[in-house]
Structure formats: C-alpha cells, structure tokens
C-alpha cells in the first residue's frame, strides 16, 4: 500500500517556534525547581517538624493514685475494677444496625440510653473514630459474662476493667476523704498552667479530687502521668513492628501517687458513727496532746462512691435540695450556738480576771436581774448558793450572768479568741467557717443600736451571737484539758511512698499557749469532772465505770422560748434544741477530747453525752487491745472516783445493735491487726437514739438557757 | 499495512528521548517500589508489566508509517468521542466520575486516549490548513481548531474529570499558539488568561463581606470548589479540603537536601499522603530522595521534553511537527500540573505524573505518545526531496 506524501513542504517557519516552546517548557521546569527549593531547602526545618509531629503521638500512661489509709494502715480509699464497655467506631462494623441493638438487649438500655450511644458513635469523625467511647460503666458480673460470651458478634466492642476510686467506708468519713470527679475546662487551663505545656499534667476527662483529703492532697495522691511517644499512622492507629511490639521512641514512666496516712482510727470512727444518736450533727475526737483528729463524724453524709462519676444530675439536685444538707461538713463548715459548753470559757475568764475565785459564790434565785429585765436560769426554782464547782456541775446560768455582769464581754471574748474561737482552725482538708466570738466592737459594728450589757449575759452562757463549730469546741476542750496548749487540728499524719517509705511526717502544730495558772486549771478540771462524776451533774447518768471523764453538757436553744416550756416531742424538728456534749478523758491526764453535737437532738445530757461516752470507752478499749497485741506501754486509766452520794440509776450505756452503718457495718473483732472490712458497706438508716428507760429529767435536768426574748439567742 | 523499517530509518531513532523515557520509567518503578511497600500491595510489579506493554507499543507504533496514522486520525478521533459518549451508559463509576470501561481484567480510561487523538486531530487540521502565503492564523481559521478541541474537552468535563479537561485545554492552547496565530488572537488568549485570574481572585482570594459576589464559584461542584479554596488557602481547613495539600507539602518539604532514604519516608509509610502511588507519587519521591534528586528528575523530564522537541524541530512536514509539539505539550503540562499541585503551587486535580505514577492507562497513553514521536523522527528522511 502506497501512501501519498501529501504536502511535503518543510515547515521551516515553525522552527523558531519550537525553540520558543522549548524555552517555555524549560521555564516551567525552572519554576517547579525553584518552588521545590523553597519547600525543601528554605522551609525544610518547618516541614520536618510537622512531619515529626505527624509521625509521633504522645500517649499518656496514667499513674496509679495513692491510697488513703487510717493511722493503723487500714485502707480507707483505694481503687476497684469497674467493668466498662467501650465502642471503637472505626472497628465497629454495622454498628448502629446490629452491634448497638445487641448491646441494648444484653444490657437492658432504655431508648434514651440507646439514642445517646448511637449519637456518640455517629458523631465520631476522622481520627476520633479510632478512640474508644465509653458506653456503659460498672457492669455487673452477669452482664460482663453475657457480653463477653457474645464478643465475636460485637466487633469493635471492648470490655475492660478500669480502675475506679473506691471509698471503702462508704458515707462514713465522706466529708473528710472527699470524692473525685472530672476536671472542668477552666480548671484544666489553670492546672496545666497555660496552653503552652507540651505534656500537660491533666487531660480532658481526668478526675481530680473534690473536697477533703482527695482535694487537699490531690498533687500528692495523683503522682505524675507517664508518656510514651508512639508511632501512629494517618488514622491514629499505633504502628507495630514485625514482632507486634509497639514502635515507640521515648518513654517517661509514670510516677505512682503517694499514700496518705490519716490520723483517723477506723475502729474509733466506726464506733463514733455507730454511737452518733441523732439525725444530723457531728462528732469530733481529737488527740488532746497533739491536735490530731482520731474520728470525725458529720451527719447526714453522702456516698463518695456515688459522687465519683456515678451520680445522675437528678440525684445531685436531690442532694442539694435536701433540707438536711448532707454535703455540708458539719464538724467545721457549719457553726452553732455552743450553749452551756461555752461556760468553761466564761469561768476561765472569770478566774483570770481576778474578780472571781473558786470560792466566790453567787446566789441563784432562778434568774438574774439586770436593770428592769430578768434573765432566767434554766432551773426556775433556783440553785441557791453556788460556787464555781456547782455552777458548772449544775450548769447554773445565774452564776455566769453574774460573772459577765462583773467582768464584761471583752474579757470573755479575749479568752475565747485565745482558745481559737472566731477564727478557722485550719484543719486544712475541708472548708471551715470561723464562727463568731462577739465582743463590744463586734456588737457595735453588727448589732443595731450597738452593744448593751444584756449581750454579755447571753454570750456568757453560749447563746446570743456566739457561734462555734464542733471542731473549734474540740480544740478548746483539748486545750483546757492539756493545760492551755491550743493545737491546730490535723487529719493527715504522714505521706508514704507506695512501698511504705515515709516521705513526710507531720508533727503537732502548736498555735499558742494560753495563760492559765495551775490553780485555775485545777478549778476548771474539778468543775468539769463534777459534771460527769458527781450526782446532780448534768452528765452524771452517762459516766463511765473505769475512766474518769471530765466534760460539759450543752443544750443550745434554737428558737425563742415561749411563756410555756415545751418538751422536745412537742416541738417540730427544726425548733428543737441542739444537744452538745464536750469532754476529755482521762480527766487526770487527758488523751482525747470529744465533742458531740446532735442537731435538734434535745438535751445535752441525754442526747449527746452517751455517744461521747461510748467513743471514750471504745478509745480505751482499743488502747488496751493495741497494748496487748503490740506490747505497747499501756497503763489502764484510773477508775472514776467513788460517788459521794447514793445513786439511783446505773450508768447509761448506748445500746449495741446489730447492723449499723458505715465503718460499723460489721462488728470487727479487734485483734489489733484486723484490716478486713466489708468492701461494700451501705449506710443504713440512722440508729435510733437511745431511749432512757427512766425519764431523764428526774435525774439530770438539763439546762435550756433562758435569755429573755429581747436579747434572745438565735 | 507494512511493518517494514527501512535501514535508513533506524539512524534517526531519537535516542535522547528514548533514553530519557527509559530512565524516567526506571526511576518511577524504583520509587513505586517504595511507595507501595507493605502494608500496601506491591503494585510496582504490575507497573513493570505496564512498562513492558508500553515499550512494546512504542516499538509497534514506531514500525507503522505515521502517515497511515495520519489517515486514520479522523476515524480514531470520532471513535474516541463515541467512546466518551458511550461512557454515559456503559461506564464504570468511581469517586463520583464515570471514566472507565471495564474490559475483562482491564479498565480503560477513554479520556487518557482522547488527549492523544485530540492532539492528532489538531495536527491534522493544521497540516491540512497549510497556507504558505498566509502563515498567520486569524480567528476564522481557528474556529475549526477550537471546535476540535472543545468538543472532547466538554465531554471530559461532564464526566466529570476537571483535571484531564484542564490538561487538554492547556495542550490545545499550546498547539494553537504554536500554529502562529495573529496578534489579535494572542491578545485574546492573554485576555482570557487575565479574566480567569480575575475571577479566581474575586471568588477565592478577595476578602469581602457576605453575601459574596462570585462569578463562577457558586456554579462549581462542592468538591471542585473545595479543591480550589484548598489550593489558594491550604491552612483554612487543615482537617478538610486543605488536608491533602498540606500533608503533601509536609512530605515534600521534610525531604530536605538528601531525603529520608528509600522506603524511609514517614509521611509515606504512615499513609498521610492520599493516592500516594498515583497522583501524589512525586511527594513520595521528594520525601525520600531529597531536593538533589528531585532536581535530577526535573532535568530528566527536561531532557525527555527537549528530545521530543528535537523531533518537532527535525520534522519534515507539518503533521509530524504538530504531533510532536502536541505530545510534548501533553507531557509537559502533566508534569507541571502534577508537581505543581504536590508542592502547593496549583490546585489539586487528579493528574498523574507521566512515567512515575502507577497506572496502566497513564503509562500506555504516554508510551503511545512516545511511540508517535519515535515514529515521526524515524521517518523524516522520507520527505527529503
């Protein structure tokens, strides 16, 4: 086949254009080369850094949080495994259509929960699809087994045991231990100290301590998270080498948190929880010689296990609306009129003023006349001639009216303030209120019309504006007991490494030593001993057989007195008096100071003193047990002095009931080494206060103070 | 048809071009072996096969007298346009575009061949339209050339395959400008360029309050719009449209002078690059081989193109010269657009890098072009008067 040549003219005119095209092509390639130079040489560092960023991902390795133990090593707070279900959307095939409905059937989700899970799974985009999403926490063993048995039908679903903070004592000690929940974004910014940190200590979703020791010792307990620099691909998958090992560059191992050892004795705490008689209130037990807290009850309480990431908004709202305010730390963050327990300060002020001695006497005719007004004593018929000893023993109001009339409010206030009233005790692990220790300056500032003498009279018997927290009162009584040394109360005794090595040991912190002569001390001790140990003393019925306890009852009036005195049962709960009892023991050389506040409980002698006595009794019993178990130096406390008058009723002991609550859940055989405890204690209903089989007013008439309505207490 | 090669013809094999092509293809396979390392499937072996097929095609095409091809141009062109139209009914849809015929184990992309047949058709038109007394082309004489190029471009555009359509536009414009148009025509092209720039600037760069006045932007498909905005401002949406552009730039930039080493590229190994063995193959090369060897690769392309232009320079008649220019332009624009998009200079369009990217259609179409160049070069002695 022949092919015609067509036009065979040589296209010479095109030649220069070929050169032009060639030049253009070369120019194009030059542009590319220059651009490459710009990227690969000039901006090399920048892009190299970006590619390294791409390649490695910092993965956090969580540190284990430290434990909280009591002073004997018993674990109060640790971690338990929480069986959680996760979904990884990227690996979850036919997730919404099949997998989630299967899970729903197994775990009995309602539609709302189902909707929530579907939404979470669907909203995951990009690299998020490779991150696990928690869909349910705390599976029961049965649910776990069920899901686990079907795991091959559930692609992308993982079951993991995640460590979860566990408060073994349940609601007991909740205010002291605190609880944990997720950090907020504001806190995150603050804790991480600005957004610039490459490896911030906290991440979104981390838990942090709230309240109590968990919060105060957050940094100690938390430890420091470790990091692994892992190679990840564009999808966020961690790359492995041929042997299946994770490819990583460098590694910072996590530093486990330290253990915090409290000064609380769990056994004593259990007894205090058990013995607490009322609906609301507090028990504080301090070591009188060091200020360390041995037990601290605040009722009503909450369950920190619930508060730690397991509380529903509805439940939280209910807690906050509860009129009894279970979240309030009653030992320190709420103040009350101290009632007659304040009289010890008035008496000390009287002795220090020089105007009164132990032998000074006042005649009580059932009240005290000041100007045109009469201040009532709680005993309308009057106590007759009283000295300091009887005034305290019988809680005669008239004596203290007289004292304050003579020495004035400022003398009383200065003693009160030196003992720590009117300012926070700096317990350090919980919020506190300072309370009120009024003086003339205070009244001139706060009260309309300024200071009048009647206010001094009210203050002298612990009514009026004077307000104290149970913790403050415990510090006061500890100081009275130990001869005048005011200690800062402390809950944490030491910090240990997980291996048990002591990192930091806290010693007693002396705030100040008040001026108190041995004679004054002796008068106070004598009077306080009489309250418990002499017939007619307001706490005589609660005395202990083998320990001399010195103490003072108090019945703080909450609502204004009417013309007719009502009995406790005739008043509504909110109008009833607060029952106080403060004590230290043994009286000869006090070791512990105990304060019981039974809010709206009634009379100090019958509704607060038995609980304090139970705690004191337990304390010495434990001391004996520990002494026998560890061969410690133990001398039994001296028995109470022989009663000088015939006794009609035997000492009252609080009833022991099976069950109980919190730490008292199982009556522990105190061998001195027993650590075992019910892992899941529940708060049962508050045990009923002991009902005396004999009417209490026959024996120990307590002393509702009776300020007149005008200057009346709160 | 005679596959006879006169002994004189072998003397004119364009060795510069052939060696350039072979070297580039070798580099391409070497690079592909790295880009398709585990866990990807080792596609470089298939590429080796495609290269073999390509070389065979070059030989076969070189043996056919290209005047035969010149005669077959019109039927080939029409056939190809028919194939593009047939795609509407028989095409295989992938990634939102109907671009393939599935023929047994092979997938044929008519658009790849359309580029070639369009070049051939334009060459034929300019060959037939030779008027020695009227060397410059006016508007009227360019109307058929415009129609020849715009019909297939339009068909490719509606597939939709914006990248290939753009490549065809650039190739056609290069050929038309090469055909020595009159000054007004050149000015018109310049104006079109300026207007395009103006539209781009107005629609994508200029800051203006909403509602924005846009000339073209609101008419574009969403992914096309995203690509252009991702090109002009890649940092605006790093997780979305700008992601590929940014990751590709990171890969290229982190290569530095010496590169990270063969099979050592982290962006490649961790699959940060999209389409890393096809469209984004150059970023793999740049990351692992570094600036020095990138420069050498560009020089290699330069040698290849100069070899091709040498064919055009030595062509003894217009058809051959136009075919050579057209094929060179086709290769040049693909290289320019591909490397440009990988380095963030141009918007991302699905354009392969000739001889480097993995893919049978791409390899075959380039090799057919090379075969035509060899053919034209070998047969220039036939026209010696």
């Amino acid at each position: 086949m022949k092919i015609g040549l067509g036009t065979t003219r040589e296209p010479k005119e095109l030649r220069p254009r070929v050169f032009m095209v060639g030049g253009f092509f070369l120019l194009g390639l030059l542009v590319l080369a220059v651009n490459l130079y710009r990227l690969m040489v000039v901006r090399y560092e920048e892009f190299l850094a970006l590619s390294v960023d791409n390649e490695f991902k910092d993965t956090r390795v969580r540190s284990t949080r430290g434990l909280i133990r009591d002073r004997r090593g018993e674990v109060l707070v640790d971690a338990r495994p929480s069986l959680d279900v996760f979904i990884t959307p990227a690996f979850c095939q036919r997730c919404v259509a099949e997998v989630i409905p299967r899970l729903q059937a197994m775990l009995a989700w309602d539609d709302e929960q189902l909707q929530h899970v579907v939404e979470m799974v669907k909203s995951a985009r990009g690299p998020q699809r490779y991150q696990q999403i928690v869909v349910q926490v705390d599976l029961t063993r049965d649910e776990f087994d069920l899901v686990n048995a079907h795991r091959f039908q559930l692609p992308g679903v993982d079951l993991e045991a995640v460590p979860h903070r566990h408060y073994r004592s349940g609601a007991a000690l909740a205010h002291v231990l605190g609880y944990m929940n997720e950090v907020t974004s504001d806190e995150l910014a603050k804790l991480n100290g600005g957004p610039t940190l490459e490896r911030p200590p906290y991440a979104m979703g981390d838990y942090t301590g709230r309240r109590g020791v968990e919060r105060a010792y957050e940094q100690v307990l938390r430890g420091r998270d470790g990091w692994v620099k892992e190679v990840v691909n564009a999808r966020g998958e961690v790359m492995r080498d041929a042997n299946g090992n994770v490819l990583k560059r460098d590694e910072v191992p996590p530093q486990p948190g330290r253990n915090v050892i409290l000064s609380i004795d769990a056994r004593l705490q259990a007894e205090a929880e058990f013995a607490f008689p009322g609906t609301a209130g507090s028990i504080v037990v301090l070591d009188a010689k060091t200020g360390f807290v041995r037990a601290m009850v605040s009722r009503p309480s909450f369950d920190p296990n619930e508060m730690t990431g397991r509380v529903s908004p509805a439940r939280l709202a209910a807690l906050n609306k509860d009129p009894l305010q279970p979240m309030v730390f009653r030992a320190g963050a709420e103040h009350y009129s101290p009632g007659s327990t304040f009289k010890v300060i008035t008496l000390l002020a009287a002795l220090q003023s020089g105007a009164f001695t132990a032998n000074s006497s006042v005649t009580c005719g059932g009240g005290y006349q000041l100007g045109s007004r009469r201040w009532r004593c709680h005993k309308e018929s009057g106590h007759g001639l009283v000295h300091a000893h009887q005034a305290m023993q019988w809680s005669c109001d008239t004596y203290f009216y007289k004292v304050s009339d003579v020495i004035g409010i400022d003398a009383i206030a200065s003693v009160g303030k030196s003992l720590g009233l009117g300012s926070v005790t700096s317990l350090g692990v919980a919020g506190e209120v300072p309370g009120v220790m009024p003086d003339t300056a205070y009244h001139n500032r706060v009260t309309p019309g300024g200071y009048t003498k009647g206010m001094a009279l009210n203050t002298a018997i612990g009514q009026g504006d004077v307000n104290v927290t149970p913790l403050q009162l415990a510090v006061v009584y500890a100081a009275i007991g130990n001869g005048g040394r005011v200690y800062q109360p402390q809950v944490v005794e030491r910090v240990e490494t997980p291996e048990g090595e002591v990192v930091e040991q806290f010693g007693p912190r002396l705030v100040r030593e008040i001026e108190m002569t041995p004679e004054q001390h002796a008068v106070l001790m004598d009077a306080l001993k009489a309250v418990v140990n002499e017939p007619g003393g307001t706490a005589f019925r609660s005395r202990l057989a083998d320990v001399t306890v010195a103490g003072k009852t108090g019945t703080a009036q909450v609502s204004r007195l009417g013309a007719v005195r009502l009995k406790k049962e005739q008043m509504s709960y909110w109008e009833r008096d607060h029952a106080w009892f403060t004590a230290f023991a043994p009286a000869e050389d006090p070791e512990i100071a105990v304060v019981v506040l039974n809010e709206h409980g009634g009379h100090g002698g019958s509704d607060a003193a038995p609980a304090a006595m139970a705690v004191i009794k337990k304390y010495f019993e434990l001391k004996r047990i520990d002494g026998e178990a560890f061969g410690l130096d133990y001398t039994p406390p001296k028995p109470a002095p022989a009663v000088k008058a015939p006794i009609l009723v035997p000492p009252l002991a609080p009833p022991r009931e099976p069950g109980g609550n919190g730490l008292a859940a199982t009556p522990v055989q105190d061998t001195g080494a027993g650590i075992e405890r019910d892992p899941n204690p529940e708060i049962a209903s508050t045990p009923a206060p002991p009902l005396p089989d004999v009417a209490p007013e026959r024996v120990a008439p307590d002393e509702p103070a009776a300020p007149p309505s005008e200057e009346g207490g709160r | 048809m005679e596959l006879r090669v006169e002994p004189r013809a072998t003397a004119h094999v364009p060795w510069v071009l052939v060696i350039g092509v072979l070297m580039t293809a070798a580099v391409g396979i070497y690079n592909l072996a790295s880009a398709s390392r585990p866990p990807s499937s080792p596609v470089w072996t298939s590429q080796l096969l495609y290269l073999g097929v390509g070389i065979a095609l070059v030989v076969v095409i070189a043996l056919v007298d290209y005047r035969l091809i010149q005669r077959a141009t019109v039927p080939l062109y029409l056939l190809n346009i028919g194939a593009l139209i047939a795609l509407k009914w028989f095409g295989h849809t992938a990634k939102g575009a109907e671009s393939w015929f599935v023929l047994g184990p092979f997938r044929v992309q008519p658009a790849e061949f359309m580029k070639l047949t369009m070049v051939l058709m334009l060459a034929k038109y300019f060959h037939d339209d030779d008027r020695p007394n009227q060397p410059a082309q006016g508007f009227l004489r360019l109307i058929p050339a415009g129609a020849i190029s715009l019909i297939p471009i339009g068909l490719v555009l509606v597939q939709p395959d914006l990248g290939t359509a753009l490549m065809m536009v650039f190739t056609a414009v290069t050929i038309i400008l090469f055909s020595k148009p009159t000054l007004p025509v050149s000015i018109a092209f310049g104006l079109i360029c300026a207007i395009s720039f103006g539209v781009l600037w107005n629609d994508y760069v200029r800051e203006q309050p909403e509602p924005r006045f846009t000339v073209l932007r609101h008419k574009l498909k969403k992914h096309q719009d995203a690509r252009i905005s991702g090109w002009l401002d890649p940092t605006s949406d790093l997780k979305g449209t700008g992601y590929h552009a940014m990751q590709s730039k990171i890969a290229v930039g982190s290569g530095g002078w010496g590169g990270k080493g063969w099979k050592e590229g982290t962006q490649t190994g961790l699959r940060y690059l999209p389409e890393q063995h096809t469209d984004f193959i150059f970023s793999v090369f740049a990351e692992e081989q570094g600036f020095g060897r990138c420069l050498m690769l560009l020089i290699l392309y330069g040698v290849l193109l100069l070899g091709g232009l040498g064919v055009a320079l030595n062509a003894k008649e217009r058809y051959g010269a136009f075919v050579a220019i057209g094929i060179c332009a086709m290769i040049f624009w693909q290289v320019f657009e591909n490397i440009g998009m990988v380095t963030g200079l141009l918007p991302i369009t699905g354009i392969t890098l000739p001889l480097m990217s993995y893919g049978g259609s791409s390899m075959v179409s380039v090799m057919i072009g090379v075969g035509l160049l060899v053919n034209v070069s070998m047969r220039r002695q036939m026209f010696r008067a």
Side-chain angles (χ1 to χ4, degrees):
Chain A
M1 180 170 153
K2 282 284 169 201
I3 299 167
L5 290 180
T7 47
T8 52
R9 186 180 67 81
E10 206 174 335
K12 284 191 181 133
E13 80 281 1
L14 291 179
R15 288 203 178 150
R17 297 175 158 265
V18 173
F19 285 107
M20 279 167 67
V21 171
F24 179 75
F25 287 0
L26 290 183
L27 189 72
L29 293 179
L30 190 67
V31 167
L32 292 181
V34 167
N35 191 42
L36 277 177
Y37 180 82
R38 200 171 58 88
L39 280 183
M40 300 177 74
V41 179
V42 179
R43 294 173 69 189
Y44 167 63
E45 304 275 335
E46 174 192 337
F47 286 115
L48 187 69
L50 285 171
S51 86
V52 169
D53 268 5
N54 265 351
E55 183 181 3
F56 295 103
K57 195 179 81 181
D58 272 345
T59 308
R60 186 186 294 267
V61 182
R62 287 192 198 286
S63 58
T64 45
R65 194 173 174 90
L67 307 178
I68 303 178
R69 297 173 182 272
D70 88 336
R71 64 188 308 234
R72 293 168 60 254
E74 183 169 338
V75 175
L76 298 173
V77 184
D78 61 355
R80 65 174 171 84
S82 162
L83 302 171
D84 296 355
V85 184
F86 298 89
I87 290 182
T88 313
F91 305 135
C92 187
Q93 286 144 11
R94 306 183 62 78
C95 206
V96 175
E98 287 177 11
V99 174
I100 293 177
R102 274 185 204 140
L103 273 179
Q104 184 200 14
M106 285 181 219
L107 302 175
W109 290 340
D110 54 14
D111 283 347
E112 199 183 330
Q113 169 83 351
L114 178 76
Q115 232 29 65
H116 181 59
V117 170
V118 168
E119 226 160 78
M120 280 198 295
V121 169
K122 274 186 175 169
S123 62
R125 296 252 176 280
Q128 283 179 341
R129 288 173 46 75
Y130 292 86
Q131 284 167 5
Q132 289 185 328
I133 299 172
V134 188
V135 294
Q136 185 166 349
V137 293
D138 268 336
L139 262 64
T140 62
R141 286 299 314 208
D142 285 354
E143 288 169 333
F144 178 85
D145 289 343
L146 185 64
V147 175
N148 194 39
H150 292 86
R151 65 189 184 279
F152 295 113
Q153 287 156 278
L154 300 167
V157 174
D158 297 304
L159 287 164
E160 272 174 40
V162 177
H164 190 77
R165 202 71 166 159
H166 178 47
Y167 299 87
R168 293 194 179 190
S169 50
L173 268 179
H175 297 94
V176 173
L177 297 174
Y179 59 93
M180 300 183 71
N181 61 21
E182 272 186 39
V183 287
T184 64
S185 48
D186 289 351
E187 286 171 325
L188 208 59
K190 216 169 78 188
L191 288 166
N192 291 342
T196 48
L197 234 56
E198 196 191 348
R199 290 175 165 180
Y202 286 82
M204 207 70 205
D206 276 8
Y207 274 46
T208 183
R210 304 283 179 201
R211 296 167 177 260
V213 175
E214 290 278 31
R215 178 176 180 163
Y217 285 80
E218 165 73 14
Q219 295 308 324
V220 174
L221 287 166
R222 182 182 173 83
R224 201 177 311 143
D225 286 349
W227 291 88
V228 183
K229 216 175 192 134
E230 289 170 332
V231 179
V232 293
N233 69 7
R235 295 165 173 176
E237 292 170 289
V238 175
M239 304 304 285
R240 290 162 194 278
D241 65 11
N243 300 326
N245 298 319
V246 170
L247 293 167
K248 53 194 168 190
R249 182 176 265 184
D250 68 328
E251 209 173 351
V252 181
Q255 260 179 29
R258 306 236 152 105
N259 294 347
V260 171
I261 316 299
L262 304 186
S263 61
I264 304 272
D265 186 328
R267 300 167 303 175
L268 196 64
Q269 177 76 23
E271 181 65 19
E273 294 280 349
F274 181 82
F276 184 77
T279 309
S282 174
I283 295 181
V284 177
V285 183
L286 288 188
D287 187 316
K289 290 174 179 171
T290 57
F292 279 107
V293 177
R294 294 291 179 236
M296 194 173 255
V297 176
S298 175
R299 289 282 186 83
S301 187
F302 59 91
D303 186 357
N305 290 310
E306 185 188 15
M307 294 299 291
T308 303
R310 299 289 185 264
V311 65
S312 66
R315 174 83 180 109
L316 203 59
L319 270 175
N320 287 332
K321 265 191 266 172
D322 190 329
L324 286 173
Q325 294 181 296
M327 302 302 288
V328 172
F329 173 53
R330 282 182 160 75
E334 184 77 303
H335 60 192
Y336 306 85
S337 291
S340 302
T341 57
F342 187 78
K343 286 174 181 168
V344 74
I345 292 163
T346 313
L347 182 58
L348 182 57
L351 297 174
Q352 286 189 346
S353 71
F356 286 80
T357 66
N359 298 322
S360 309
S361 63
V362 171
T363 304
C364 172
Y368 186 79
Q369 193 74 28
L370 182 71
S372 63
R373 299 269 315 285
R374 183 178 162 79
W375 268 257
R376 284 188 277 179
C377 181
H378 68 90
K379 190 175 179 186
E380 280 171 64
S381 56
H383 289 103
L385 189 71
V386 290
H387 298 89
H389 184 89
Q390 291 89 359
M392 195 65 88
Q393 182 186 354
W394 298 330
S395 200
C396 174
D397 294 332
T398 310
Y399 181 88
F400 295 98
Y401 292 145
K402 176 72 185 172
V403 167
S404 63
D405 195 9
V406 173
I407 67 172
I409 193 170
D410 289 344
I412 299 171
S414 85
V415 172
K417 282 176 182 167
S418 70
L419 283 164
L421 298 187
S423 55
V424 292
T425 64
S426 309
L427 179 66
V429 302
E432 282 186 74
V433 294
V436 182
M437 184 63 245
D439 52 15
T440 40
Y442 167 85
H443 277 297
N444 286 335
R445 193 176 73 244
V446 171
T447 318
Y451 172 74
T452 57
K453 196 91 188 195
M455 294 166 187
L457 268 60
N458 282 337
T459 299
I461 59 160
Q463 293 288 159
D465 281 13
V466 59
N467 270 332
V468 304
T469 68
L471 187 58
Q472 283 176 330
L473 211 52
V475 171
V476 168
Y477 273 78
I480 301 278
N482 66 29
R485 291 186 300 280
V486 179
Y487 285 105
Q488 179 185 332
Q490 293 179 81
V491 163
V492 176
E493 213 162 67
R494 60 183 185 277
V495 173
E496 288 181 352
T497 63
E499 292 76 32
E501 202 178 305
V502 176
V503 178
E504 199 177 357
Q505 176 89 42
F506 299 102
R509 291 186 191 144
L510 187 65
V511 178
R512 71 178 75 82
E513 205 162 346
I514 62 161
E515 288 170 24
M516 183 161 62
T517 62
E519 291 75 34
Q520 291 164 356
H521 188 222
V523 172
L524 289 178
M525 297 301 271
D526 184 49
L528 291 171
K529 260 193 279 186
V531 171
V532 182
N533 296 300
E534 289 179 23
T538 50
F540 180 64
R541 254 175 64 87
S542 301
R543 72 193 179 282
L544 294 175
D546 48 2
V547 189
T548 322
V549 178
K552 181 74 194 81
T553 58
T555 305
Q557 182 197 323
V558 173
S559 57
R560 208 160 276 191
L561 275 187
V564 182
R565 284 198 182 175
L566 295 171
K567 291 200 175 134
K568 182 174 130 186
E569 290 74 20
Q570 291 171 300
M571 291 188 272
S572 81
Y573 175 82
W574 300 106
E575 290 169 339
R576 292 177 194 170
D577 299 335
H578 293 325
W580 283 96
F581 187 69
T582 55
F584 42 80
E588 300 77 29
D589 180 20
E591 290 176 26
I592 57 167
V594 181
V595 170
V596 176
L597 163 68
N598 186 354
E599 249 182 69
H600 304 294
H603 295 252
S606 57
D607 297 309
M613 293 306 180
V615 170
I616 292 168
K617 194 175 168 193
K618 185 73 176 181
Y619 173 81
F620 288 103
E621 192 184 320
L622 292 173
K623 196 174 168 190
R624 182 179 57 76
I625 291 167
D626 286 352
E628 285 168 4
F630 301 111
L632 299 178
D633 187 25
Y634 173 70
T635 43
K638 279 187 200 163
V643 174
K644 293 167 194 161
I647 313 158
L648 294 175
V649 282
L652 192 77
R656 300 237 41 147
E657 288 164 5
N661 56 59
L663 286 159
T666 43
V668 181
Q669 272 301 329
D670 285 310
T671 57
I675 306 281
E676 284 305 306
R677 197 165 278 300
D678 183 357
N680 192 16
E682 275 179 24
I683 294 287
S685 59
T686 313
L691 280 174
D693 44 356
V694 186
E697 52 267 66
R698 250 189 70 199
V699 179
D702 214 313
E703 69 296 45
S709 54
E710 191 184 324
E711 327 271 350
R714 53 191 203 117
Chain B
M1 196 162 99
E2 48 190 326
L3 293 178
R4 185 176 54 84
V5 179
E6 290 169 40
R8 279 188 300 172
T10 48
H12 296 292
V13 171
W15 290 115
V16 174
L17 173 73
V18 170
I19 288 167
V21 166
L22 289 178
M23 281 176 71
T24 313
V27 170
I29 284 170
Y30 166 76
N31 185 47
L32 203 58
S34 168
S36 62
R37 61 180 180 252
S40 306
S41 53
V43 291
W44 65 276
T45 49
S46 324
Q47 183 78 347
L48 211 52
L49 180 75
Y50 298 144
L51 180 62
V53 171
I55 291 170
L57 272 172
V58 170
V59 171
V60 169
I61 289 168
L63 292 181
V64 179
D65 191 327
Y66 75 86
R67 285 165 301 175
L68 211 62
I69 298 170
Q70 185 180 350
R71 287 190 183 176
T73 296
V74 177
L76 276 177
Y77 176 78
L78 293 176
L79 210 66
N80 214 330
I81 283 183
L84 276 178
I85 294 169
L87 266 182
K88 274 283 164 208
W89 291 281
F90 307 108
H92 178 82
T93 307
K95 292 184 193 162
E98 293 162 343
S99 8
W100 287 303
F101 282 124
V102 178
L103 299 173
F106 300 107
R107 297 203 292 185
V108 182
Q109 244 182 310
E112 283 288 340
F113 301 101
M114 192 70 243
K115 286 190 279 191
L116 280 169
T117 43
M118 186 193 75
V119 167
L120 294 181
M121 192 65 203
L122 281 171
K124 181 170 168 53
Y125 171 73
F126 286 119
H127 171 265
D128 294 348
D129 193 43
D130 181 24
R131 300 181 198 175
N133 305 330
Q134 247 182 301
Q137 315 256 356
F139 279 111
L140 282 178
R141 283 172 69 187
L142 285 178
I143 287 173
I148 287 167
S149 35
L150 284 179
I151 291 168
I153 287 169
L155 285 172
V156 171
L157 199 57
V158 298
Q159 278 186 355
D161 187 348
L162 182 67
T164 307
L166 275 177
M167 287 304 98
M168 291 168 72
V169 169
F170 287 133
T171 309
V173 167
T174 310
I175 295 173
I176 288 169
L177 286 176
F178 178 73
S179 73
K180 196 171 183 189
T182 53
L183 191 64
V185 175
S186 304
I187 291 171
F189 275 112
L191 270 180
I192 290 170
C193 258
I195 288 169
S196 322
F197 269 111
V199 168
L200 272 183
W201 177 79
N202 176 70
D203 289 7
Y204 289 95
V205 182
R206 187 160 68 103
E207 304 232 340
Q208 51 181 348
E210 300 287 340
R212 300 180 60 142
F213 165 75
T214 56
V215 182
L216 201 61
R217 191 174 183 173
H218 60 277
K219 292 199 180 96
L220 289 178
K221 299 213 170 182
K222 206 170 174 190
H223 76 273
Q224 293 166 341
D225 175 61
R227 275 181 177 182
I228 299 177
S229 58
W231 158 49
L232 290 170
D233 186 11
T235 51
S236 66
D237 183 12
L238 277 183
K239 287 280 168 215
T241 56
Y243 178 80
H244 291 167
M246 199 60 211
Q247 292 300 343
S248 161
K249 272 171 86 170
I250 290 172
V252 173
S254 64
W257 268 106
K260 293 176 184 169
W262 191 63
K263 287 198 178 182
E264 299 288 328
T266 57
Q267 292 283 102
T268 316
L270 302 174
R271 296 162 157 263
Y272 276 92
L273 300 172
E275 321 263 339
Q276 64 183 18
H277 45 261
T278 56
D279 297 357
F280 283 83
I281 192 73
F282 183 76
S283 53
V284 177
F285 185 79
E287 185 187 17
E288 298 185 349
Q289 304 300 330
F291 179 67
R293 267 159 279 190
C294 280
L295 215 54
M296 280 157 71
L297 183 68
L298 286 179
I299 291 170
L300 216 48
Y301 276 118
V303 166
L304 192 157
L305 287 170
L306 290 185
L309 289 176
V311 172
L313 193 68
N314 293 319
K316 294 294 184 217
E317 46 87 55
R318 283 173 71 91
Y319 181 75
F322 271 99
V323 166
I325 286 292
I327 287 164
C328 284
M330 188 184 92
I331 294 174
F332 167 78
W333 284 115
Q334 282 202 50
V335 171
F336 187 77
E337 158 61 19
N338 183 281
I339 297 181
M341 91 181 178
V342 166
T343 54
L345 208 59
L346 294 170
I348 292 176
T349 49
I351 293 298
T352 53
L353 185 60
L355 301 169
M356 293 284 287
S357 288
Y358 170 72
S361 286
S362 165
M363 175 66 86
V364 164
S365 75
V366 171
M367 286 312 240
I368 289 173
V370 171
L372 288 168
L373 288 175
V374 172
N375 196 338
V376 170
S377 176
M378 279 168 68
R379 283 181 174 71
R380 66 174 182 235
Q381 85 292 339
M382 290 189 296
F383 301 97
R384 194 155 298 154

